[in-house]
Short mmCIF file of all heavy atoms in Angstrom, two decimals:
data_model
loop_
_atom_site.label_atom_id
_atom_site.label_comp_id
_atom_site.label_asym_id
_atom_site.label_seq_id
_atom_site.Cartn_x
_atom_site.Cartn_y
_atom_site.Cartn_z
N HIS R 115 11.12 113.79 39.93
CA HIS R 115 12.02 114.93 39.65
C HIS R 115 13.49 114.52 39.55
O HIS R 115 14.35 115.38 39.50
CB HIS R 115 11.85 115.99 40.74
CG HIS R 115 10.44 116.49 40.87
ND1 HIS R 115 9.82 117.28 39.92
CD2 HIS R 115 9.52 116.29 41.87
CE1 HIS R 115 8.59 117.55 40.30
NE2 HIS R 115 8.37 116.98 41.48
N LYS R 116 13.76 113.23 39.54
CA LYS R 116 15.14 112.78 39.41
C LYS R 116 15.49 112.60 37.94
O LYS R 116 14.67 112.15 37.14
CB LYS R 116 15.34 111.47 40.17
CG LYS R 116 15.17 111.64 41.68
CD LYS R 116 15.47 110.34 42.42
CE LYS R 116 15.36 110.54 43.94
NZ LYS R 116 15.66 109.30 44.69
N ARG R 117 16.73 112.97 37.59
CA ARG R 117 17.14 112.96 36.19
C ARG R 117 18.13 111.85 35.85
O ARG R 117 18.58 111.77 34.71
CB ARG R 117 17.78 114.31 35.85
CG ARG R 117 16.81 115.48 36.00
CD ARG R 117 17.48 116.77 35.59
NE ARG R 117 16.54 117.90 35.69
CZ ARG R 117 16.85 119.15 35.37
NH1 ARG R 117 18.09 119.43 34.92
NH2 ARG R 117 15.95 120.10 35.48
N SER R 118 18.46 111.03 36.79
CA SER R 118 19.40 109.94 36.49
C SER R 118 18.76 108.92 35.56
O SER R 118 17.54 108.78 35.49
CB SER R 118 19.84 109.25 37.79
OG SER R 118 18.75 108.60 38.40
N TRP R 119 19.64 108.21 34.81
CA TRP R 119 19.15 107.21 33.85
C TRP R 119 18.37 106.10 34.55
O TRP R 119 17.32 105.67 34.08
CB TRP R 119 20.35 106.63 33.09
CG TRP R 119 19.93 105.63 32.03
CD1 TRP R 119 19.57 105.91 30.75
CD2 TRP R 119 19.80 104.22 32.20
NE1 TRP R 119 19.23 104.77 30.08
CE2 TRP R 119 19.38 103.70 30.95
CE3 TRP R 119 20.03 103.34 33.25
CZ2 TRP R 119 19.17 102.34 30.74
CZ3 TRP R 119 19.82 101.99 33.06
CH2 TRP R 119 19.40 101.49 31.83
N THR R 120 18.87 105.66 35.71
CA THR R 120 18.20 104.59 36.46
C THR R 120 16.82 105.04 36.93
O THR R 120 15.85 104.29 36.84
CB THR R 120 19.06 104.20 37.68
OG1 THR R 120 20.36 103.79 37.24
CG2 THR R 120 18.41 103.07 38.45
N ALA R 121 16.72 106.27 37.41
CA ALA R 121 15.43 106.78 37.88
C ALA R 121 14.43 106.87 36.74
O ALA R 121 13.24 106.54 36.89
CB ALA R 121 15.62 108.13 38.54
N LYS R 122 14.90 107.35 35.56
CA LYS R 122 14.01 107.44 34.42
C LYS R 122 13.51 106.08 33.97
O LYS R 122 12.33 105.90 33.65
CB LYS R 122 14.74 108.15 33.26
CG LYS R 122 15.00 109.63 33.51
CD LYS R 122 15.70 110.25 32.31
CE LYS R 122 15.95 111.75 32.55
NZ LYS R 122 16.64 112.38 31.40
N GLN R 123 14.42 105.09 33.94
CA GLN R 123 14.02 103.75 33.54
C GLN R 123 13.05 103.14 34.54
O GLN R 123 12.06 102.48 34.16
CB GLN R 123 15.27 102.85 33.41
CG GLN R 123 16.21 103.27 32.30
CD GLN R 123 15.55 103.21 30.93
OE1 GLN R 123 14.78 102.30 30.65
NE2 GLN R 123 15.84 104.21 30.09
N LEU R 124 13.31 103.39 35.82
CA LEU R 124 12.44 102.86 36.87
C LEU R 124 11.06 103.51 36.79
O LEU R 124 10.03 102.85 36.97
CB LEU R 124 13.08 103.10 38.24
CG LEU R 124 12.41 102.42 39.44
CD1 LEU R 124 12.38 100.92 39.26
CD2 LEU R 124 13.14 102.79 40.73
N LYS R 125 11.05 104.83 36.52
CA LYS R 125 9.77 105.52 36.39
C LYS R 125 8.98 105.01 35.17
O LYS R 125 7.76 104.79 35.25
CB LYS R 125 10.02 107.03 36.24
CG LYS R 125 8.74 107.83 36.07
CD LYS R 125 9.05 109.30 35.85
CE LYS R 125 7.77 110.09 35.58
NZ LYS R 125 8.04 111.51 35.29
N SER R 126 9.66 104.79 34.05
CA SER R 126 8.98 104.28 32.85
C SER R 126 8.40 102.89 33.09
O SER R 126 7.26 102.58 32.68
CB SER R 126 9.96 104.24 31.68
OG SER R 126 10.45 105.52 31.39
N LEU R 127 9.20 102.06 33.78
CA LEU R 127 8.72 100.71 34.08
C LEU R 127 7.51 100.75 35.01
O LEU R 127 6.55 100.01 34.83
CB LEU R 127 9.85 99.90 34.71
CG LEU R 127 9.52 98.44 35.09
CD1 LEU R 127 9.09 97.65 33.86
CD2 LEU R 127 10.72 97.78 35.76
N ALA R 128 7.54 101.65 36.00
CA ALA R 128 6.43 101.76 36.94
C ALA R 128 5.17 102.27 36.25
O ALA R 128 4.06 101.79 36.51
CB ALA R 128 6.81 102.68 38.10
N GLU R 129 5.32 103.26 35.34
CA GLU R 129 4.16 103.78 34.61
C GLU R 129 3.57 102.71 33.69
O GLU R 129 2.36 102.60 33.56
CB GLU R 129 4.58 105.01 33.81
CG GLU R 129 4.89 106.22 34.67
CD GLU R 129 5.39 107.38 33.85
OE1 GLU R 129 5.79 107.15 32.68
OE2 GLU R 129 5.43 108.52 34.37
N PHE R 130 4.45 101.93 33.05
CA PHE R 130 3.97 100.86 32.18
C PHE R 130 3.21 99.80 32.98
O PHE R 130 2.13 99.35 32.59
CB PHE R 130 5.15 100.22 31.43
CG PHE R 130 4.76 99.02 30.62
CD1 PHE R 130 4.15 99.18 29.38
CD2 PHE R 130 5.01 97.73 31.09
CE1 PHE R 130 3.79 98.06 28.63
CE2 PHE R 130 4.66 96.63 30.34
CZ PHE R 130 4.04 96.80 29.11
N SER R 131 3.78 99.40 34.11
CA SER R 131 3.13 98.40 34.96
C SER R 131 1.82 98.91 35.52
O SER R 131 0.85 98.16 35.65
CB SER R 131 4.07 98.01 36.11
OG SER R 131 5.28 97.47 35.62
N SER R 132 1.77 100.20 35.84
CA SER R 132 0.54 100.80 36.34
C SER R 132 -0.56 100.74 35.29
O SER R 132 -1.73 100.49 35.59
CB SER R 132 0.78 102.24 36.77
OG SER R 132 -0.40 102.83 37.25
N GLY R 133 -0.18 100.95 34.04
CA GLY R 133 -1.16 100.85 32.97
C GLY R 133 -1.64 99.42 32.76
O GLY R 133 -2.81 99.17 32.47
N GLN R 134 -0.72 98.49 32.91
CA GLN R 134 -1.09 97.08 32.74
C GLN R 134 -2.06 96.62 33.83
O GLN R 134 -2.88 95.74 33.59
CB GLN R 134 0.16 96.20 32.75
CG GLN R 134 1.08 96.40 31.57
CD GLN R 134 0.37 96.05 30.26
OE1 GLN R 134 -0.26 95.01 30.14
NE2 GLN R 134 0.49 96.95 29.28
N LEU R 135 -1.96 97.19 35.02
CA LEU R 135 -2.86 96.79 36.10
C LEU R 135 -4.32 97.12 35.78
O LEU R 135 -5.23 96.50 36.31
CB LEU R 135 -2.45 97.48 37.42
CG LEU R 135 -1.19 96.92 38.09
CD1 LEU R 135 -0.86 97.75 39.33
CD2 LEU R 135 -1.38 95.46 38.48
N ARG R 136 -4.52 98.12 34.90
CA ARG R 136 -5.90 98.48 34.57
C ARG R 136 -6.57 97.43 33.70
O ARG R 136 -7.80 97.40 33.59
CB ARG R 136 -5.89 99.83 33.84
CG ARG R 136 -5.32 100.98 34.67
CD ARG R 136 -5.51 102.31 33.98
NE ARG R 136 -4.88 103.40 34.72
CZ ARG R 136 -3.68 103.87 34.47
NH1 ARG R 136 -2.95 103.33 33.50
NH2 ARG R 136 -3.18 104.86 35.18
N SER R 137 -5.77 96.58 33.05
CA SER R 137 -6.34 95.52 32.21
C SER R 137 -6.42 94.19 32.94
O SER R 137 -6.56 93.14 32.32
CB SER R 137 -5.48 95.35 30.94
OG SER R 137 -4.16 94.97 31.29
N VAL R 138 -6.33 94.23 34.28
CA VAL R 138 -6.37 93.00 35.05
C VAL R 138 -7.75 92.34 35.01
O VAL R 138 -7.89 91.15 35.30
CB VAL R 138 -5.95 93.28 36.52
CG1 VAL R 138 -7.07 94.00 37.28
CG2 VAL R 138 -5.57 91.99 37.24
N GLU R 139 -8.79 93.10 34.65
CA GLU R 139 -10.14 92.54 34.58
C GLU R 139 -10.23 91.41 33.57
O GLU R 139 -10.97 90.44 33.76
CB GLU R 139 -11.15 93.63 34.25
CG GLU R 139 -11.42 94.61 35.37
CD GLU R 139 -11.98 93.91 36.59
OE1 GLU R 139 -12.77 92.96 36.42
OE2 GLU R 139 -11.63 94.31 37.72
N PHE R 140 -9.49 91.53 32.46
CA PHE R 140 -9.50 90.47 31.46
C PHE R 140 -8.92 89.18 32.05
O PHE R 140 -9.49 88.09 31.87
CB PHE R 140 -8.69 90.89 30.24
CG PHE R 140 -8.47 89.77 29.25
CD1 PHE R 140 -9.48 89.37 28.41
CD2 PHE R 140 -7.23 89.11 29.20
CE1 PHE R 140 -9.28 88.32 27.51
CE2 PHE R 140 -7.02 88.08 28.30
CZ PHE R 140 -8.04 87.69 27.45
N LEU R 141 -7.81 89.30 32.74
CA LEU R 141 -7.19 88.12 33.36
C LEU R 141 -8.11 87.54 34.43
O LEU R 141 -8.24 86.31 34.54
CB LEU R 141 -5.84 88.52 33.97
CG LEU R 141 -5.06 87.38 34.66
CD1 LEU R 141 -4.75 86.27 33.67
CD2 LEU R 141 -3.77 87.94 35.27
N ARG R 142 -8.76 88.40 35.20
CA ARG R 142 -9.68 87.92 36.23
C ARG R 142 -10.85 87.18 35.60
O ARG R 142 -11.30 86.15 36.12
CB ARG R 142 -10.18 89.10 37.06
CG ARG R 142 -11.13 88.70 38.18
CD ARG R 142 -11.67 89.91 38.90
NE ARG R 142 -10.61 90.64 39.59
CZ ARG R 142 -10.80 91.80 40.19
NH1 ARG R 142 -12.00 92.38 40.17
NH2 ARG R 142 -9.80 92.42 40.79
N SER R 143 -11.36 87.67 34.47
CA SER R 143 -12.45 86.99 33.78
C SER R 143 -12.03 85.60 33.30
O SER R 143 -12.78 84.62 33.42
CB SER R 143 -12.91 87.83 32.58
OG SER R 143 -13.89 87.16 31.85
N LEU R 144 -10.79 85.50 32.80
CA LEU R 144 -10.28 84.20 32.36
C LEU R 144 -10.15 83.23 33.54
O LEU R 144 -10.54 82.06 33.44
CB LEU R 144 -8.93 84.39 31.68
CG LEU R 144 -8.23 83.11 31.20
CD1 LEU R 144 -9.08 82.38 30.16
CD2 LEU R 144 -6.84 83.43 30.63
#
Side-chain angles (χ1 to χ4, degrees):
H115 303 289
K116 294 184 177 181
R117 298 182 178 181
S118 66
W119 182 87
T120 302
K122 291 181 179 180
Q123 295 299 321
L124 189 60
K125 179 183 176 183
S126 300
L127 180 60
E129 290 175 344
F130 174 79
S131 301
S132 180
Q134 293 298 312
L135 286 176
R136 299 187 184 96
S137 61
V138 74
E139 288 299 324
F140 171 76
L141 180 60
R142 181 184 295 174
S143 176
L144 178 61

